[in-house]
Amino acid sequence: MRTAGSALLVILGLLLAAVAGPALWLERNVVDGAGFAQLAGPLGTNSEFQEGLSALAADQATASLNLPPQLNELAGALIISAARSIYSDPGYEAAWTQTLQRSHKLTFDAAGNQEVQGDLKLDIAPLVELVAAKVAQDLGVPLPTPKEVVVSLEQPQVAKVLPLASALGGASGWMAFIAVDLLALGVIVAKRRALTLILGGAGLAAVALLWQLGSGFVESALAGLVVGTEIAQQFGIQLGALARASWQGGITATFLIAGVMAAAGVVALIVKGRRTT
């Protein structure tokens, strides 16, 4: 009876851990605004993504800056040049981080509002400000900039999963806590605790292997979900690669924990064997 109860507790703990791990990652890297900005930060230095971002910033700057009519033609070339050179500006890193934080808030606010059609939104006002500052310096004319420059990436399929990501992320802490408790309780009530530790470690390693395989699927799925403009596609492809790399640390840590559990079980078996001889 104890053996069956222990096995049930360990299996339930492993199943819950399989969900809790990705949910914790979602909470820290997708649902949390600061975490998302850190995850997606390297996108701002990706040359392929920068090319599309430059074109987007130039288009939006042209549309949103209030330029004197006599300067329109001259300013067009200056805006394109300024948009392509903002990446060398000392303020670019901070502006890109602000862009990600603003965009995250807009996107999740829309996803959580039933009256608003969910979508992925970028607020590139901080980048437009950098473009405007460079153009104003060249023209010698101060240019007022809008507080928001919101661009919709029109990704309804991606937006649909955001409420689910929020729900899973919100419950991740409790899921992880309960999973650990179930595993610990399964070992405590077991008649053969050493063997239970070894089997539990093997099961946890299987969970980590499942995550390893799943991370590749998530990367390709995210890249496939994002459609439309070139910048939207690059955003999905590059973000998928960053997400997979970020999740690798959690997978490695889980393999290590699994190894420690199994090793502890082996040591316990050896000690027990010596005592009986």
Side-chain angles (χ1 to χ4, degrees):
M1 191 69 175
R2 285 175 58 187
T3 300
S6 172
L8 180 61
L9 288 170
V10 170
I11 291 171
L12 288 176
L14 290 173
L15 290 174
L16 194 56
V19 179
L24 278 171
W25 184 88
L26 280 172
E27 174 64 23
R28 295 174 180 175
N29 297 279
V30 177
V31 179
D32 180 70
F36 176 76
Q38 184 175 4
L39 171 68
L43 270 175
T45 60
N46 181 280
S47 57
E48 293 180 75
F49 182 72
Q50 283 180 350
E51 185 175 344
L53 189 60
S54 296
L56 180 64
D59 289 344
Q60 295 302 313
T62 302
S64 59
L65 297 180
N66 295 320
L67 297 169
Q70 64 273 22
L71 295 178
N72 276 335
E73 185 174 348
L74 174 61
L78 290 176
I79 287 174
I80 294 174
S81 175
R84 289 174 177 170
S85 64
I86 58 173
Y87 309 107
S88 60
D89 191 290
Y92 170 69
E93 184 176 352
W96 175 238
T97 299
Q98 290 175 22
T99 294
L100 290 173
Q101 291 172 341
R102 290 185 179 199
S103 302
H104 180 277
K105 186 177 187 306
L106 281 172
T107 297
F108 272 81
D109 283 351
N113 188 344
Q114 298 298 324
E115 297 179 358
V116 178
Q117 185 176 1
D119 200 353
L120 297 187
K121 299 179 184 295
L122 291 179
D123 181 1
I124 63 170
L127 300 179
V128 171
E129 288 179 12
L130 289 183
V131 174
K134 286 182 173 291
V135 173
Q137 184 178 8
D138 291 336
L139 292 177
V141 177
L143 298 175
T145 55
K147 293 182 179 180
E148 291 185 344
V149 182
V150 180
V151 181
S152 174
L153 295 184
E154 298 181 358
Q155 304 298 322
Q157 294 301 319
V158 179
K160 284 180 181 178
V161 305
L162 296 182
L164 176 60
S166 296
L168 282 175
S172 61
W174 282 108
M175 286 193 291
F177 178 77
I178 295 172
V180 171
D181 285 352
L182 288 173
L183 288 171
L185 190 58
V187 173
I188 291 171
V189 303
K191 290 182 65 176
R192 303 179 66 181
R193 292 175 181 170
L195 182 60
T196 302
L197 273 172
I198 294 172
L199 294 177
L204 195 58
V207 169
L209 181 60
L210 180 65
W211 291 343
Q212 182 76 60
L213 298 173
S215 65
F217 171 77
V218 170
E219 178 183 5
S220 60
L222 184 57
L225 277 175
V226 178
V227 296
T229 62
E230 179 67 23
I231 188 171
Q233 292 180 28
Q234 281 299 321
F235 190 86
I237 293 170
Q238 302 300 334
L239 190 61
L242 290 171
R244 184 177 186 179
S246 171
W247 181 225
Q248 192 60 49
I251 294 173
T252 301
T254 303
F255 273 124
L256 289 174
I257 294 171
V260 169
M261 286 179 62
V266 171
V267 170
L269 280 178
I270 294 173
V271 171
K272 184 178 179 181
R274 288 180 177 176
R275 286 177 179 175
T276 56
T277 56

